[in-house]
Amino acid sequence: MHLNDSDCILQISYIGVNEGIPLTRANFTLLAKKRNNQYYFRSPLLQNTSTWQTKKIGNVTLHYKKDYNKKNANKYFNMVNAFDKKLEFTDKPTEFYCCHNYHEVLQLIGVDYKSDYSSIVKNSLSSAENDQNLVVNGYFTPDFTEFDPHDLWHARLHKVISVSIINKPVDEGTAFINGGSWGLSWEEILSRFKKYAAANPNADWLALYNESTNYDKGAKFPLNVDYTINALIVEKLEKEKGMGAVKELLSCGRRVDGNENYFKALEKTTGITKANFNKKVWEMINSK
Ligand SMILES: [Zn+2]
């Protein structure tokens, strides 16, 4: 490491020990600048992307090397805007770097090697500070084909309601409505749920809810009773009382065995109780 008055480059190695053998855990490259007897350190991201092009899309500045798929990118950013509007959320300006893969993300920000990341092909890193978001995305690729509306809904919702208080089954229910699940649309999920309900006329919805039962056993990915019932509840609640009431239900706290916190908030927001749960769920299913 050598520091002087001008910009300089630092290369830092982090060595770990595994069963007595020293191993390189990570190598980083940082830039340093001395100003008023203080050293300031930063990532080489700006230098590494100085030849990249930019495009302003709303309050996002998209950085890309040569080209990107405009149609898919617009679809993505339009969906972000639609979700934010629904959530009554205004995001900070975002610098969005569009990379081909996670390896490129790491190289650009100055992570030359990190053993924890060695097998990860696609991933995205982000930070939010100084009234600005930074996203270095190695997941979507410049083709923007990899984004999933379900995951995007979760990501936008978690900017509004902290994961420390969000109730996962309600969170999933809202994601079903807004982004489907595992490539299925909400209409397709609903049709599978109705099929299950028709085949189980004596279903005990309260018990199935608390057990978070998967009702689509033959499918590649599970569909859970509690997520789907919440999708029905949230759809009705949003229509009747607006997003404020939906947010109140979402914020009832993490899922606990027996779901006491959830049922308390459910009664307050919708009037549905444990006693009338079965009847109300049937009403919602039959109204579809
Ligand atoms: Zn989900």
Side-chain angles (χ1 to χ4, degrees), residues 185-273:
S185 68
W186 165 228
E187 288 69 29
E188 286 167 318
I189 296 168
L190 186 59
S191 135
R192 290 179 188 214
F193 188 57
K194 286 191 76 168
K195 204 168 143 195
Y196 175 83
N200 294 276
N202 298 316
D204 178 351
W205 294 119
L206 186 60
L208 293 165
Y209 184 97
N210 282 329
E211 286 157 15
S212 191
T213 302
N214 168 24
Y215 59 87
D216 200 34
K217 297 229 162 48
K220 202 168 162 194
F221 301 108
L223 288 173
N224 297 27
V225 166
D226 48 349
Y227 300 177
T228 311
I229 288 178
N230 276 312
L232 287 166
I233 288 171
V234 161
E235 199 175 38
K236 192 166 180 286
L237 184 59
E238 189 189 340
K239 217 172 277 171
E240 290 173 0
K241 295 189 179 171
M243 263 325 267
V246 174
K247 285 181 188 169
E248 190 178 345
L249 185 60
L250 277 160
S251 310
C252 70
R254 286 189 172 180
R255 185 188 185 281
V256 293
D257 279 347
N259 293 300
E260 282 307 327
N261 53 348
Y262 166 77
F263 284 108
K264 203 172 152 203
L266 186 67
E267 184 172 359
K268 190 173 169 228
T269 49
T270 67
I272 299 172
T273 64

XYZ file of all heavy atoms in Angstrom, residues 185-273:
709
model
N -49.928 -16.840 -13.618
C -50.616 -15.577 -13.332
C -51.550 -15.782 -12.136
O -51.853 -16.923 -11.758
C -51.439 -15.146 -14.548
O -52.515 -16.058 -14.719
N -52.030 -14.696 -11.571
C -52.979 -14.785 -10.454
C -54.239 -15.547 -10.894
O -54.779 -16.358 -10.150
C -53.290 -13.386 -9.929
C -54.489 -13.250 -9.033
C -55.478 -12.332 -9.132
C -54.816 -14.056 -7.870
N -56.400 -12.509 -8.128
C -56.024 -13.562 -7.330
C -54.221 -15.141 -7.259
C -56.637 -14.102 -6.212
C -54.839 -15.708 -6.125
C -56.026 -15.184 -5.618
N -54.679 -15.326 -12.122
C -55.869 -16.032 -12.616
C -55.627 -17.540 -12.649
O -56.511 -18.328 -12.285
C -56.246 -15.530 -14.032
C -56.834 -14.124 -14.083
C -55.819 -13.030 -13.759
O -54.614 -13.236 -14.026
O -56.241 -11.985 -13.220
N -54.427 -17.943 -13.062
C -54.110 -19.383 -13.104
C -54.028 -19.967 -11.695
O -54.481 -21.086 -11.441
C -52.785 -19.612 -13.840
C -52.907 -19.433 -15.355
C -51.547 -19.355 -16.040
O -50.630 -18.672 -15.511
O -51.399 -19.962 -17.110
N -53.441 -19.198 -10.769
C -53.360 -19.657 -9.367
C -54.777 -19.844 -8.823
O -55.106 -20.863 -8.215
C -52.586 -18.633 -8.500
C -51.136 -18.514 -8.967
C -52.638 -19.021 -7.026
C -50.385 -17.331 -8.366
N -55.615 -18.835 -9.081
C -56.990 -18.869 -8.578
C -57.738 -20.079 -9.134
O -58.478 -20.757 -8.407
C -57.699 -17.560 -8.960
C -59.089 -17.353 -8.404
C -59.076 -17.380 -6.880
C -59.663 -16.020 -8.891
N -57.527 -20.368 -10.407
C -58.230 -21.502 -11.003
C -57.782 -22.825 -10.357
O -58.594 -23.716 -10.119
C -58.024 -21.440 -12.519
O -57.709 -22.666 -13.044
N -56.487 -22.949 -10.044
C -56.008 -24.162 -9.360
C -56.571 -24.257 -7.944
O -56.881 -25.331 -7.453
C -54.472 -24.159 -9.307
C -53.881 -24.378 -10.683
C -52.376 -24.354 -10.659
N -51.877 -24.381 -12.031
C -50.763 -24.977 -12.420
N -49.993 -25.561 -11.544
N -50.384 -24.961 -13.679
N -56.701 -23.096 -7.281
C -57.235 -23.079 -5.922
C -58.721 -23.455 -5.925
O -59.190 -24.215 -5.069
C -57.032 -21.687 -5.310
C -57.375 -21.611 -3.844
C -56.761 -22.441 -2.917
C -58.314 -20.697 -3.383
C -57.076 -22.382 -1.569
C -58.637 -20.620 -2.035
C -58.016 -21.464 -1.123
N -59.440 -22.957 -6.927
C -60.871 -23.262 -7.019
C -61.090 -24.753 -7.291
O -62.033 -25.363 -6.789
C -61.520 -22.421 -8.123
C -61.676 -20.957 -7.710
C -62.529 -20.179 -8.658
C -63.988 -20.516 -8.452
N -64.889 -19.607 -9.138
N -60.180 -25.322 -8.077
C -60.253 -26.757 -8.380
C -60.068 -27.570 -7.082
O -60.787 -28.521 -6.819
C -59.140 -27.091 -9.386
C -59.408 -28.318 -10.217
C -58.399 -28.377 -11.352
C -58.013 -29.833 -11.602
N -56.836 -29.998 -12.391
N -59.090 -27.130 -6.270
C -58.834 -27.809 -4.994
C -60.053 -27.669 -4.076
O -60.485 -28.641 -3.437
C -57.591 -27.202 -4.316
C -57.320 -27.753 -2.941
C -56.644 -28.955 -2.771
C -57.744 -27.057 -1.795
C -56.400 -29.464 -1.497
C -57.505 -27.558 -0.529
C -56.828 -28.759 -0.381
O -56.596 -29.263 0.872
N -60.631 -26.449 -4.033
C -61.790 -26.202 -3.178
C -62.970 -27.072 -3.612
O -63.663 -27.666 -2.772
C -62.166 -24.718 -3.223
N -63.172 -27.190 -4.929
C -64.285 -27.998 -5.442
C -64.107 -29.471 -5.079
O -65.091 -30.175 -4.797
C -64.371 -27.832 -6.960
N -62.855 -29.924 -5.046
C -62.585 -31.335 -4.721
C -62.594 -31.585 -3.208
O -62.575 -32.739 -2.766
C -61.231 -31.750 -5.309
N -62.622 -30.512 -2.424
C -62.585 -30.634 -0.948
C -63.694 -29.789 -0.308
O -63.412 -28.792 0.363
C -61.212 -30.189 -0.411
C -60.097 -31.125 -0.863
O -59.845 -32.149 -0.261
N -59.451 -30.757 -1.965
N -64.952 -30.204 -0.535
C -66.060 -29.362 -0.043
C -66.115 -29.230 1.480
O -66.756 -28.321 1.986
C -67.314 -30.093 -0.582
C -66.862 -31.487 -0.887
C -65.414 -31.400 -1.252
N -65.451 -30.146 2.189
C -65.441 -30.045 3.668
C -64.124 -29.463 4.183
O -63.763 -29.663 5.351
C -65.678 -31.424 4.287
C -67.032 -31.974 3.894
O -68.039 -31.244 3.914
N -67.081 -33.239 3.491
N -63.400 -28.771 3.331
C -62.085 -28.228 3.731
C -62.216 -27.370 4.988
O -63.129 -26.551 5.102
C -61.511 -27.390 2.591
N -61.293 -27.578 5.927
C -61.229 -26.741 7.131
C -60.192 -25.656 6.843
O -59.001 -25.837 7.073
C -60.816 -27.622 8.321
C -60.686 -26.824 9.618
O -60.743 -25.567 9.556
O -60.518 -27.443 10.682
N -60.659 -24.537 6.314
C -59.722 -23.497 5.833
C -58.852 -22.945 6.947
O -57.697 -22.589 6.722
C -60.480 -22.358 5.127
C -61.152 -22.805 3.861
C -62.486 -22.781 3.576
C -60.509 -23.373 2.696
N -62.727 -23.288 2.326
C -61.528 -23.656 1.755
C -59.198 -23.673 2.356
C -61.263 -24.219 0.506
C -58.928 -24.233 1.109
C -59.941 -24.501 0.202
N -59.410 -22.862 8.167
C -58.616 -22.330 9.285
C -57.418 -23.243 9.569
O -56.284 -22.775 9.708
C -59.499 -22.190 10.532
C -58.837 -21.521 11.739
C -58.377 -20.104 11.429
C -59.797 -21.502 12.941
N -57.672 -24.563 9.608
C -56.580 -25.517 9.868
C -55.582 -25.500 8.707
O -54.359 -25.469 8.923
C -57.138 -26.916 10.055
N -56.102 -25.502 7.475
C -55.212 -25.512 6.300
C -54.381 -24.221 6.248
O -53.222 -24.232 5.833
C -56.033 -25.659 5.011
C -56.739 -27.014 4.836
C -57.799 -26.930 3.740
C -55.724 -28.102 4.506
N -55.014 -23.100 6.692
C -54.290 -21.825 6.738
C -53.121 -21.926 7.718
O -51.978 -21.620 7.384
C -55.230 -20.681 7.162
C -54.541 -19.334 7.135
C -54.668 -18.487 6.044
C -53.722 -18.920 8.194
C -53.998 -17.277 5.994
C -53.043 -17.715 8.153
C -53.193 -16.895 7.054
O -52.509 -15.696 7.009
N -53.428 -22.390 8.931
C -52.391 -22.434 9.969
C -51.279 -23.433 9.640
O -50.145 -23.262 10.075
C -53.022 -22.753 11.331
C -53.699 -21.529 11.925
O -53.273 -20.393 11.685
N -54.772 -21.737 12.679
N -51.631 -24.458 8.857
C -50.606 -25.441 8.463
C -49.869 -25.009 7.190
O -48.936 -25.684 6.749
C -51.268 -26.803 8.221
C -51.685 -27.490 9.505
C -52.807 -28.522 9.292
O -53.063 -28.906 8.137
O -53.425 -28.906 10.294
N -50.295 -23.928 6.584
C -49.698 -23.424 5.328
C -49.601 -24.555 4.283
O -48.573 -24.750 3.633
C -48.307 -22.832 5.598
O -47.854 -22.130 4.455
N -50.720 -25.263 4.128
C -50.746 -26.450 3.255
C -50.510 -26.096 1.781
O -51.040 -25.108 1.279
C -52.138 -27.132 3.406
O -52.299 -27.450 4.778
C -52.260 -28.377 2.553
N -49.728 -26.937 1.105
C -49.557 -26.814 -0.348
C -50.698 -27.579 -1.007
O -50.842 -28.779 -0.823
C -48.195 -27.394 -0.745
C -48.050 -27.577 -2.252
O -48.721 -26.901 -3.039
N -47.183 -28.484 -2.651
N -51.526 -26.879 -1.798
C -52.704 -27.541 -2.384
C -52.462 -27.957 -3.830
O -53.358 -28.461 -4.485
C -53.931 -26.615 -2.305
C -53.760 -25.287 -3.013
C -54.039 -25.150 -4.372
C -53.325 -24.175 -2.316
C -53.884 -23.931 -5.011
C -53.156 -22.957 -2.948
C -53.441 -22.841 -4.294
O -53.272 -21.646 -4.926
N -51.254 -27.738 -4.341
C -50.990 -28.065 -5.747
C -49.829 -29.052 -5.808
O -48.776 -28.772 -6.373
C -50.661 -26.769 -6.513
C -50.855 -26.928 -8.013
O -51.761 -27.664 -8.413
O -50.088 -26.320 -8.777
N -50.058 -30.226 -5.207
C -48.954 -31.162 -4.953
C -48.242 -31.666 -6.208
O -47.042 -31.929 -6.173
C -49.460 -32.354 -4.131
C -49.971 -31.917 -2.756
C -49.411 -32.746 -1.640
C -49.536 -32.100 -0.281
N -50.817 -31.535 0.106
N -48.963 -31.767 -7.327
C -48.332 -32.288 -8.544
C -47.451 -31.263 -9.233
O -46.667 -31.604 -10.120
N -47.578 -30.002 -8.831
C -46.883 -28.934 -9.557
C -45.403 -28.879 -9.184
O -44.978 -29.414 -8.167
C -47.535 -27.597 -9.255
N -44.644 -28.211 -10.051
C -43.205 -28.081 -9.840
C -42.913 -27.238 -8.591
O -41.983 -27.507 -7.842
C -42.633 -27.400 -11.088
C -41.165 -27.635 -11.304
C -40.798 -27.166 -12.698
C -39.317 -26.971 -12.837
N -38.981 -26.211 -14.039
N -43.730 -26.198 -8.401
C -43.524 -25.296 -7.269
C -44.780 -25.272 -6.398
O -45.885 -25.351 -6.924
C -43.214 -23.879 -7.768
C -41.994 -23.830 -8.635
C -42.109 -23.615 -9.999
C -40.731 -24.017 -8.095
C -40.980 -23.577 -10.806
C -39.603 -23.988 -8.893
C -39.727 -23.765 -10.254
N -44.609 -25.150 -5.075
C -45.790 -25.202 -4.201
C -46.680 -23.961 -4.302
O -46.203 -22.869 -4.605
C -45.173 -25.300 -2.797
C -43.808 -24.723 -2.926
C -43.353 -24.971 -4.332
N -47.967 -24.188 -4.073
C -48.907 -23.077 -3.907
C -49.549 -23.290 -2.543
O -50.138 -24.340 -2.295
C -49.972 -23.097 -5.018
C -49.509 -22.692 -6.413
C -50.625 -22.927 -7.434
C -49.072 -21.222 -6.441
N -49.414 -22.300 -1.668
C -49.843 -22.496 -0.284
C -51.219 -21.897 -0.032
O -51.557 -20.826 -0.557
C -48.837 -21.861 0.679
C -47.479 -22.527 0.580
O -47.117 -23.073 -0.469
N -46.727 -22.511 1.656
N -51.984 -22.597 0.794
C -53.341 -22.158 1.127
C -53.324 -20.762 1.750
O -54.112 -19.884 1.366
C -54.010 -23.171 2.096
C -55.261 -22.575 2.726
C -54.348 -24.463 1.365
N -52.421 -20.543 2.718
C -52.434 -19.242 3.420
C -52.093 -18.083 2.465
O -52.688 -17.006 2.544
C -51.514 -19.238 4.649
C -50.130 -19.789 4.394
O -49.903 -20.374 3.318
O -49.260 -19.644 5.284
N -51.169 -18.309 1.523
C -50.821 -17.240 0.580
C -52.032 -16.907 -0.309
O -52.324 -15.743 -0.580
C -49.657 -17.661 -0.332
C -48.352 -18.019 0.365
C -47.262 -18.480 -0.377
C -48.197 -17.907 1.744
C -46.055 -18.810 0.244
C -47.005 -18.251 2.370
C -45.939 -18.709 1.610
O -44.757 -19.045 2.224
N -52.717 -17.972 -0.744
C -53.817 -17.770 -1.695
C -55.030 -17.143 -1.019
O -55.675 -16.248 -1.581
C -54.178 -19.112 -2.361
O -52.976 -19.726 -2.834
C -55.120 -18.908 -3.534
N -55.336 -17.588 0.203
C -56.452 -16.966 0.938
C -56.149 -15.479 1.161
O -57.022 -14.616 1.005
C -56.716 -17.703 2.280
C -57.359 -19.062 1.992
C -57.595 -16.862 3.201
C -57.614 -19.913 3.236
N -54.901 -15.169 1.496
C -54.558 -13.752 1.683
C -54.678 -12.963 0.385
O -55.046 -11.786 0.415
C -53.155 -13.614 2.270
C -53.191 -13.743 3.784
O -54.006 -13.115 4.439
N -52.333 -14.583 4.329
N -54.372 -13.602 -0.737
C -54.537 -12.906 -2.019
C -56.011 -12.525 -2.192
O -56.331 -11.389 -2.573
C -54.057 -13.797 -3.171
N -56.916 -13.465 -1.876
C -58.350 -13.180 -1.985
C -58.759 -12.070 -1.019
O -59.499 -11.149 -1.378
C -59.159 -14.453 -1.665
C -59.147 -15.557 -2.724
C -59.693 -16.857 -2.135
C -59.961 -15.142 -3.944
N -58.262 -12.156 0.221
C -58.603 -11.151 1.244
C -58.094 -9.765 0.835
O -58.820 -8.771 0.891
C -58.015 -11.570 2.622
C -58.797 -12.764 3.185
C -58.025 -10.399 3.607
C -58.175 -13.398 4.429
N -56.831 -9.725 0.393
C -56.206 -8.442 0.065
C -56.879 -7.793 -1.154
O -57.098 -6.578 -1.177
C -54.688 -8.665 -0.186
C -54.091 -7.510 -0.965
C -53.958 -8.850 1.137
N -57.240 -8.615 -2.103
C -57.906 -8.089 -3.307
C -59.210 -7.379 -2.921
O -59.503 -6.281 -3.392
C -58.185 -9.257 -4.260
C -58.442 -8.817 -5.687
C -58.586 -10.015 -6.622
O -59.186 -11.044 -6.227
O -58.110 -9.932 -7.747
N -59.963 -8.029 -2.038
C -61.245 -7.472 -1.584
C -61.007 -6.234 -0.698
O -61.664 -5.209 -0.851
C -61.972 -8.577 -0.786
C -63.418 -8.312 -0.478
C -64.070 -9.626 -0.008
C -65.527 -9.450 0.319
N -65.772 -8.751 1.574
N -60.033 -6.359 0.201
C -59.738 -5.268 1.143
C -59.283 -4.003 0.408
O -59.710 -2.890 0.738
C -58.659 -5.740 2.129
C -58.266 -4.803 3.271
C -59.467 -4.472 4.153
C -57.150 -5.434 4.131
N -58.428 -4.195 -0.593
C -57.932 -3.039 -1.357
C -59.091 -2.335 -2.070
O -59.171 -1.115 -2.085
C -56.871 -3.483 -2.358
C -56.174 -2.290 -3.018
C -55.270 -2.671 -4.174
O -54.865 -3.848 -4.268
O -55.002 -1.782 -4.993
N -59.981 -3.154 -2.638
C -61.135 -2.598 -3.356
C -62.037 -1.819 -2.404
O -62.511 -0.737 -2.721
C -61.905 -3.753 -4.004
C -62.474 -3.396 -5.375
C -63.068 -4.631 -6.056
C -62.012 -5.470 -6.764
N -62.534 -6.761 -7.250
N -62.267 -2.372 -1.214
C -63.233 -1.768 -0.289
C -62.646 -0.650 0.569
O -63.305 0.343 0.839
C -63.812 -2.859 0.631
C -64.726 -3.819 -0.128
C -65.171 -5.009 0.707
O -64.777 -5.096 1.889
O -65.906 -5.848 0.158
N -61.375 -0.812 1.011
C -60.823 0.174 1.960
C -59.518 0.819 1.518
O -58.984 1.679 2.213
C -60.621 -0.488 3.328
C -61.931 -0.916 3.984
C -61.694 -1.367 5.406
C -62.973 -1.784 6.091
N -62.710 -2.424 7.379
N -58.956 0.373 0.400
C -57.732 0.993 -0.111
C -56.448 0.377 0.424
O -56.475 -0.485 1.313
N -55.321 0.864 -0.103
C -54.014 0.297 0.225
C -53.627 0.511 1.685
O -52.859 -0.257 2.245
C -52.924 0.912 -0.669
C -52.520 0.113 -1.885
S -52.503 -1.678 -1.750
C -50.835 -2.033 -1.281
N -54.151 1.569 2.318
C -53.815 1.836 3.726
C -54.186 0.639 4.600
O -53.405 0.200 5.451
N -55.384 0.093 4.360
C -55.851 -1.058 5.142
C -55.008 -2.295 4.820
O -54.695 -3.098 5.712
C -57.329 -1.324 4.848
N -54.620 -2.442 3.546
C -53.776 -3.584 3.146
C -52.420 -3.486 3.852
O -51.904 -4.475 4.383
C -53.598 -3.633 1.609
C -52.609 -4.723 1.216
C -54.940 -3.856 0.917
N -51.876 -2.279 3.896
C -50.577 -2.084 4.562
C -50.681 -2.401 6.053
O -49.751 -2.936 6.652
C -50.089 -0.644 4.368
C -49.553 -0.364 2.970
C -49.070 1.082 2.891
C -48.698 1.474 1.488
N -48.479 2.914 1.345
N -51.817 -2.056 6.647
C -52.004 -2.351 8.076
C -51.972 -3.861 8.318
O -51.324 -4.343 9.249
C -53.335 -1.745 8.548
C -53.479 -1.792 10.053
C -54.771 -1.160 10.553
O -55.433 -0.426 9.788
O -55.111 -1.436 11.722
N -52.649 -4.605 7.444
C -52.654 -6.067 7.585
C -51.254 -6.640 7.327
O -50.793 -7.523 8.051
C -53.685 -6.672 6.613
C -53.904 -8.184 6.707
C -54.390 -8.597 8.092
C -54.917 -8.656 5.649
N -50.579 -6.104 6.313
C -49.220 -6.567 5.996
C -48.264 -6.365 7.174
O -47.330 -7.143 7.370
C -48.670 -5.771 4.800
C -49.059 -6.232 3.393
C -48.856 -5.100 2.395
C -48.259 -7.458 2.969
N -48.516 -5.300 7.946
C -47.577 -4.905 9.006
C -47.891 -5.535 10.363
O -47.428 -5.037 11.391
C -47.589 -3.379 9.164
O -47.440 -2.753 7.929
N -48.671 -6.605 10.376
C -49.113 -7.148 11.678
C -48.020 -7.937 12.394
O -48.226 -8.441 13.497
C -50.369 -7.995 11.510
S -50.087 -9.548 10.651
N -46.858 -8.082 11.794
C -45.757 -8.792 12.455
C -45.459 -10.112 11.762
O -46.275 -10.619 10.992
N -44.286 -10.634 12.038
C -43.873 -11.883 11.402
C -44.816 -13.029 11.754
O -45.413 -13.015 12.834
C -42.460 -12.232 11.846
C -41.432 -11.347 11.184
C -40.056 -11.857 11.473
N -39.084 -11.120 10.685
C -37.789 -11.358 10.735
N -37.329 -12.306 11.517
N -36.957 -10.662 9.994
N -44.874 -13.972 10.866
C -45.738 -15.135 11.096
C -45.307 -15.880 12.367
O -44.120 -16.127 12.573
C -45.655 -16.086 9.905
C -46.608 -17.243 10.006
C -46.364 -18.278 8.915
N -47.377 -19.322 8.978
C -47.358 -20.324 9.854
N -46.376 -20.423 10.732
N -48.320 -21.228 9.867
N -46.301 -16.191 13.215
C -46.021 -17.004 14.407
C -46.955 -18.219 14.371
O -47.995 -18.177 13.715
C -46.257 -16.208 15.723
C -45.247 -15.096 15.880
C -47.690 -15.672 15.791
N -46.599 -19.286 15.061
C -47.468 -20.463 15.119
C -48.820 -20.056 15.684
O -48.902 -19.372 16.698
C -46.839 -21.547 16.010
C -45.796 -22.338 15.242
O -45.756 -22.219 13.995
O -45.006 -23.056 15.884
N -49.876 -20.458 15.014
C -51.221 -20.100 15.460
C -51.699 -18.776 14.882
O -52.879 -18.471 14.923
N -50.781 -17.949 14.382
C -51.103 -16.687 13.683
C -51.958 -15.709 14.495
O -52.793 -14.993 13.927
C -51.811 -17.005 12.348
C -50.892 -17.698 11.368
O -49.851 -17.160 10.988
N -51.254 -18.914 10.963
N -51.751 -15.665 15.832
C -52.566 -14.765 16.673
C -52.475 -13.307 16.212
O -53.490 -12.609 16.146
C -52.140 -14.868 18.151
C -52.644 -16.095 18.892
C -54.160 -16.309 18.819
O -54.912 -15.324 18.766
O -54.575 -17.485 18.798
N -51.259 -12.833 15.927
C -51.080 -11.433 15.504
C -51.830 -11.150 14.205
O -52.446 -10.107 14.015
C -49.586 -11.095 15.367
C -48.827 -12.065 14.475
O -49.331 -13.130 14.107
N -47.600 -11.716 14.127
N -51.802 -12.126 13.308
C -52.475 -11.976 12.016
C -53.994 -11.892 12.213
O -54.656 -11.002 11.657
C -52.101 -13.156 11.107
C -52.973 -13.306 9.896
C -52.803 -12.470 8.785
C -53.992 -14.263 9.846
C -53.621 -12.599 7.664
C -54.805 -14.398 8.740
C -54.619 -13.565 7.649
O -55.428 -13.685 6.548
N -54.544 -12.819 13.029
C -56.003 -12.835 13.187
C -56.514 -11.574 13.896
O -57.618 -11.112 13.612
C -56.457 -14.116 13.890
C -56.434 -15.299 12.959
C -55.485 -16.299 13.081
C -57.344 -15.380 11.905
C -55.454 -17.366 12.191
C -57.320 -16.438 11.001
C -56.369 -17.443 11.146
N -55.690 -11.019 14.768
C -56.073 -9.768 15.435
C -56.189 -8.637 14.394
O -57.163 -7.891 14.361
C -54.996 -9.423 16.477
C -55.474 -8.524 17.575
C -54.410 -8.382 18.654
C -54.583 -7.041 19.328
N -53.384 -6.569 19.971
N -55.163 -8.533 13.527
C -55.165 -7.491 12.491
C -56.240 -7.762 11.446
O -56.859 -6.831 10.914
C -53.790 -7.417 11.824
N -56.478 -9.052 11.170
C -57.493 -9.411 10.170
C -58.876 -8.976 10.635
O -59.654 -8.411 9.858
C -57.456 -10.932 9.937
C -58.370 -11.441 8.817
C -57.892 -10.948 7.457
C -58.450 -12.972 8.825
N -59.152 -9.211 11.908
C -60.460 -8.822 12.445
C -60.624 -7.297 12.394
O -61.658 -6.785 11.988
C -60.623 -9.337 13.881
C -62.015 -9.025 14.427
C -62.314 -9.678 15.767
O -61.449 -10.410 16.286
O -63.417 -9.434 16.296
N -59.544 -6.601 12.765
C -59.603 -5.126 12.772
C -59.816 -4.564 11.360
O -60.583 -3.630 11.164
C -58.293 -4.587 13.377
C -58.355 -3.105 13.637
C -57.147 -2.596 14.390
C -57.161 -1.080 14.363
N -55.896 -0.498 13.986
N -59.143 -5.120 10.377
C -59.194 -4.541 9.028
C -60.377 -5.061 8.200
O -60.894 -4.347 7.341
C -57.889 -4.814 8.247
O -57.578 -6.207 8.349
C -56.732 -4.002 8.780
N -60.791 -6.320 8.440
C -61.819 -6.910 7.556
C -63.066 -7.393 8.285
O -64.071 -7.701 7.631
C -61.249 -8.151 6.813
O -61.002 -9.177 7.800
C -59.966 -7.841 6.064
N -62.990 -7.536 9.612
C -64.124 -8.100 10.353
C -64.127 -9.625 10.343
O -64.978 -10.246 10.973
N -63.180 -10.236 9.619
C -63.115 -11.709 9.585
C -62.447 -12.192 10.877
O -61.392 -11.691 11.265
C -62.323 -12.208 8.349
C -62.993 -11.748 7.047
C -62.177 -13.730 8.368
C -62.183 -12.030 5.785
N -63.089 -13.165 11.520
C -62.549 -13.716 12.777
C -62.217 -15.195 12.568
O -62.579 -15.774 11.550
C -63.595 -13.608 13.909
O -64.714 -14.431 13.533
C -64.057 -12.178 14.111
